[in-house]
Amino acid sequence: QVQLVESGGGLVQAGGSLILSCAASGSIFSGNAMGWYRQAPGKQRALVAIVTRTGNTNYADSVKGRFTIARDNAKNTVNLVMKSLKPEDTAVYYCNAVTGPPYRPIMDYWGKGTLVTVSS
């Protein structure tokens, strides 16, 4: 049964913006911090942003100042507002529950992700 569903990816020009959304089951979402990960071609999956149960956030240096993560506890959703996109942001983006620090994903099952392609 699908428990993590990412959406909102697409093709965007460098410098543009895109908003991703993640829908999670209540049991996953409500009790944990949530994070956005990405996996670029030929690279390992990496955490780029987290939001705690109470709304505190943290970001990878590569996206800090450009991306914003936020959660809606009533809807069990978390989004990622991406601005000033760069070609190196091109990746499949995934969400997951997160514990830490040190941060690690909680759910062994990953959603299918949503592809973000940034053209130069």
Side-chain angles (χ1 to χ4, degrees):
Q1 186 173 351
V2 176
Q3 295 180 295
L4 296 165
V5 181
E6 302 92 347
S7 62
L11 175 64
V12 64
Q13 293 181 327
S17 301
L18 205 60
I19 302 175
L20 307 184
S21 183
C22 168
S25 69
S27 61
I28 295 172
F29 186 92
S30 64
N32 298 287
M34 295 294 295
W36 279 97
Y37 295 76
R38 68 185 182 188
Q39 186 168 24
K43 296 184 178 180
Q44 300 283 350
R45 182 152 44 202
L47 180 66
V48 297
I50 62 166
V51 57
T52 70
R53 296 161 65 178
T54 55
N56 294 322
T57 60
N58 200 6
Y59 301 90
D61 289 342
S62 59
V63 307
K64 193 170 186 177
R66 300 188 298 118
F67 291 11
T68 302
I69 187 172
R71 66 193 294 155
D72 186 332
N73 292 334
K75 296 181 178 180
N76 294 335
T77 59
V78 57
N79 68 6
L80 186 69
V81 179
M82 305 184 294
K83 299 180 179 179
S84 300
L85 283 162
K86 304 174 180 180
E88 51 263 44
D89 294 320
T90 295
V92 178
Y93 285 72
Y94 303 86
C95 63
N96 207 327
V98 176
T99 190
Y103 302 118
R104 66 175 181 83
I106 293 176
M107 301 298 297
D108 291 333
Y109 171 83
W110 294 86
K112 294 181 178 180
T114 186
L115 175 63
V116 172
T117 303
V118 184
S119 62
S120 60

Coordinates of all heavy atoms in Angstrom, one line a residue, residues 45-83:
R45 N 21.4 9.1 -2.9 CA 20.3 9.9 -2.4 C 20.8 10.7 -1.2 O 21.5 10.2 -0.3 CB 19.1 9.0 -2.0 CG 17.9 9.7 -1.6 CD 16.6 8.9 -1.8 NE 16.8 7.5 -1.5 CZ 16.0 6.5 -2.1 NH1 15.0 6.9 -2.9 NH2 16.2 5.3 -1.7
A46 N 20.4 12.0 -1.2 CA 20.9 12.9 -0.1 C 19.7 13.7 0.4 O 18.8 14.1 -0.3 CB 22.0 13.8 -0.7
L47 N 19.8 14.0 1.7 CA 18.8 14.8 2.4 C 19.1 16.2 2.0 O 20.2 16.7 2.2 CB 18.9 14.6 3.9 CG 17.9 15.3 4.8 CD1 16.5 14.9 4.5 CD2 18.2 15.1 6.2
V48 N 18.0 17.0 1.7 CA 18.2 18.4 1.3 C 17.5 19.3 2.3 O 17.8 20.5 2.4 CB 17.8 18.7 -0.1 CG1 18.7 17.9 -1.1 CG2 16.3 18.3 -0.4
A49 N 16.4 18.8 2.9 CA 15.6 19.7 3.8 C 14.8 18.8 4.8 O 14.3 17.8 4.4 CB 14.7 20.6 3.0
I50 N 14.7 19.3 6.0 CA 13.8 18.7 7.0 C 13.0 19.7 7.7 O 13.3 20.9 7.8 CB 14.6 17.9 8.1 CG1 15.5 18.8 8.9 CG2 15.5 16.8 7.4 CD1 16.1 18.2 10.1
V51 N 11.8 19.2 8.2 CA 11.0 20.0 9.1 C 10.5 19.1 10.2 O 10.1 18.0 10.0 CB 9.8 20.6 8.3 CG1 8.9 19.6 7.6 CG2 8.9 21.5 9.2
T52 N 10.7 19.6 11.4 CA 10.3 18.8 12.6 C 8.8 18.8 12.8 O 8.1 19.5 12.1 CB 11.0 19.4 13.9 OG1 10.5 20.7 14.2 CG2 12.5 19.6 13.6
R53 N 8.4 18.1 13.8 CA 7.0 18.0 14.2 C 6.4 19.4 14.6 O 5.2 19.6 14.4 CB 6.8 17.0 15.3 CG 7.2 15.6 15.0 CD 7.4 14.7 16.2 NE 6.2 14.6 17.0 CZ 6.2 13.9 18.1 NH1 7.2 13.2 18.6 NH2 5.0 13.8 18.8
T54 N 7.3 20.3 15.1 CA 6.8 21.6 15.5 C 7.2 22.7 14.5 O 6.9 23.8 14.8 CB 7.4 21.9 16.9 OG1 8.9 21.8 16.8 CG2 6.9 21.0 17.9
G55 N 7.7 22.3 13.4 CA 7.9 23.3 12.3 C 9.3 23.9 12.2 O 9.6 24.7 11.3
N56 N 10.3 23.4 13.0 CA 11.7 23.9 12.8 C 12.3 23.2 11.6 O 11.9 22.1 11.2 CB 12.5 23.5 14.1 CG 12.1 24.3 15.3 OD1 11.7 25.4 15.2 ND2 12.1 23.6 16.4
T57 N 13.1 23.9 10.9 CA 13.7 23.5 9.6 C 15.2 23.5 9.6 O 15.8 24.2 10.4 CB 13.2 24.4 8.5 OG1 13.6 25.7 8.7 CG2 11.6 24.3 8.4
N58 N 15.7 22.7 8.7 CA 17.2 22.6 8.5 C 17.4 22.3 7.0 O 16.5 21.5 6.4 CB 17.9 21.7 9.4 CG 19.4 21.9 9.5 OD1 19.9 22.9 9.0 ND2 20.1 21.0 10.2
Y59 N 18.5 22.8 6.4 CA 18.7 22.6 5.0 C 20.1 22.2 4.7 O 21.0 22.6 5.4 CB 18.4 23.9 4.2 CG 17.0 24.4 4.4 CD1 16.6 25.2 5.4 CD2 16.0 23.9 3.5 CE1 15.3 25.7 5.6 CE2 14.7 24.4 3.7 CZ 14.4 25.2 4.7 OH 13.1 25.7 4.8
A60 N 20.3 21.4 3.7 CA 21.6 21.2 3.2 C 22.2 22.5 2.6 O 21.5 23.4 2.1 CB 21.6 20.1 2.1
D61 N 23.5 22.6 2.7 CA 24.2 23.9 2.2 C 23.9 24.1 0.8 O 23.8 25.3 0.3 CB 25.7 23.8 2.5 CG 26.1 23.9 3.9 OD1 25.3 24.3 4.7 OD2 27.2 23.5 4.2
S62 N 23.7 23.1 0.0 CA 23.5 23.3 -1.4 C 22.2 23.9 -1.8 O 22.1 24.5 -2.9 CB 23.6 21.9 -2.1 OG 22.6 21.0 -1.6
V63 N 21.2 23.9 -0.9 CA 19.9 24.5 -1.2 C 19.5 25.6 -0.2 O 18.5 26.3 -0.4 CB 18.8 23.4 -1.2 CG1 19.2 22.3 -2.1 CG2 18.5 22.9 0.2
K64 N 20.3 25.8 0.8 CA 20.0 26.8 1.8 C 19.8 28.2 1.2 O 20.7 28.6 0.4 CB 21.0 26.8 2.9 CG 20.6 27.6 4.2 CD 21.6 27.4 5.3 CE 21.1 28.0 6.6 NZ 22.1 27.7 7.7
G65 N 18.8 28.9 1.5 CA 18.5 30.2 1.0 C 17.7 30.2 -0.3 O 17.2 31.2 -0.8
R66 N 17.5 29.0 -0.9 CA 16.8 28.8 -2.1 C 15.5 28.0 -2.0 O 14.5 28.2 -2.6 CB 17.6 28.2 -3.2 CG 18.9 29.1 -3.6 CD 19.6 28.5 -4.8 NE 20.1 27.2 -4.6 CZ 19.7 26.1 -5.3 NH1 18.8 26.2 -6.3 NH2 20.2 24.9 -5.0
F67 N 15.6 27.0 -1.1 CA 14.5 26.1 -0.9 C 13.9 26.3 0.5 O 14.6 26.7 1.4 CB 15.0 24.6 -0.9 CG 15.4 24.1 -2.3 CD1 15.6 24.9 -3.3 CD2 15.6 22.7 -2.4 CE1 16.0 24.4 -4.6 CE2 16.1 22.2 -3.7 CZ 16.2 23.1 -4.7
T68 N 12.6 26.1 0.6 CA 11.8 26.2 1.8 C 10.9 25.0 2.0 O 10.2 24.7 1.1 CB 11.0 27.5 1.9 OG1 11.8 28.6 1.7 CG2 10.3 27.6 3.2
I69 N 11.1 24.3 3.2 CA 10.2 23.2 3.5 C 9.2 23.6 4.5 O 9.5 24.4 5.4 CB 11.1 22.0 4.0 CG1 10.2 20.8 4.2 CG2 11.8 22.4 5.3 CD1 11.0 19.5 4.5
A70 N 8.0 23.1 4.4 CA 6.9 23.4 5.3 C 5.9 22.2 5.4 O 5.8 21.5 4.4 CB 6.2 24.7 4.9
R71 N 5.3 22.1 6.5 CA 4.3 21.0 6.7 C 3.0 21.5 7.1 O 2.8 22.5 7.7 CB 4.9 20.0 7.7 CG 4.9 20.5 9.1 CD 5.7 19.6 10.0 NE 5.1 18.3 10.2 CZ 5.7 17.2 10.6 NH1 7.0 17.2 10.7 NH2 5.0 16.1 10.7
D72 N 2.0 20.7 6.7 CA 0.6 21.0 7.1 C 0.1 19.8 7.8 O -0.2 18.7 7.3 CB -0.3 21.2 5.8 CG -1.7 21.7 6.2 OD1 -2.2 21.3 7.3 OD2 -2.3 22.4 5.4
N73 N 0.1 19.9 9.2 CA -0.2 18.7 10.0 C -1.6 18.3 9.8 O -1.9 17.1 10.0 CB 0.1 19.1 11.5 CG 1.6 19.2 11.7 OD1 2.4 18.7 11.0 ND2 1.9 20.0 12.8
A74 N -2.5 19.2 9.5 CA -3.9 18.8 9.3 C -4.1 18.0 8.1 O -5.0 17.1 8.1 CB -4.8 20.1 9.3
K75 N -3.3 18.2 7.1 CA -3.5 17.5 5.8 C -2.5 16.4 5.6 O -2.5 15.7 4.6 CB -3.4 18.5 4.6 CG -4.5 19.5 4.6 CD -4.3 20.4 3.4 CE -5.4 21.5 3.3 NZ -5.3 22.3 2.2
N76 N -1.6 16.2 6.6 CA -0.5 15.2 6.4 C 0.3 15.4 5.2 O 0.6 14.4 4.4 CB -1.1 13.8 6.5 CG -1.7 13.5 7.9 OD1 -1.3 14.1 8.9 ND2 -2.6 12.5 7.9
T77 N 0.7 16.6 4.9 CA 1.4 16.9 3.7 C 2.7 17.8 4.1 O 2.6 18.5 5.1 CB 0.6 17.7 2.6 OG1 0.1 18.9 3.2 CG2 -0.5 16.8 2.1
V78 N 3.7 17.7 3.3 CA 4.9 18.5 3.4 C 5.3 19.0 2.0 O 5.2 18.2 1.1 CB 6.0 17.8 4.1 CG1 6.4 16.5 3.4 CG2 7.2 18.7 4.3
N79 N 5.6 20.2 1.9 CA 6.0 20.7 0.5 C 7.4 21.2 0.6 O 8.0 21.5 1.6 CB 5.0 21.7 0.0 CG 4.9 23.0 0.7 OD1 5.7 23.3 1.6 ND2 4.0 23.9 0.3
L80 N 7.9 21.5 -0.6 CA 9.2 22.0 -0.8 C 9.1 23.1 -1.9 O 8.9 22.8 -3.1 CB 10.2 20.9 -1.2 CG 11.7 21.4 -1.3 CD1 12.2 21.7 0.0 CD2 12.5 20.3 -2.0
V81 N 9.3 24.3 -1.5 CA 9.3 25.4 -2.4 C 10.7 25.7 -2.9 O 11.6 26.0 -2.1 CB 8.7 26.7 -1.8 CG1 8.7 27.9 -2.8 CG2 7.3 26.5 -1.3
M82 N 10.9 25.5 -4.2 CA 12.2 25.6 -4.7 C 12.3 26.9 -5.6 O 11.6 27.0 -6.5 CB 12.6 24.4 -5.6 CG 12.4 23.1 -4.8 SD 12.9 21.6 -5.7 CE 11.7 21.6 -7.0
K83 N 13.3 27.7 -5.3 CA 13.5 29.0 -6.0 C 14.9 29.0 -6.5 O 15.8 28.3 -6.1 CB 13.2 30.2 -5.1 CG 11.7 30.3 -4.6 CD 11.5 31.5 -3.8 CE 10.1 31.6 -3.3 NZ 9.9 32.8 -2.4

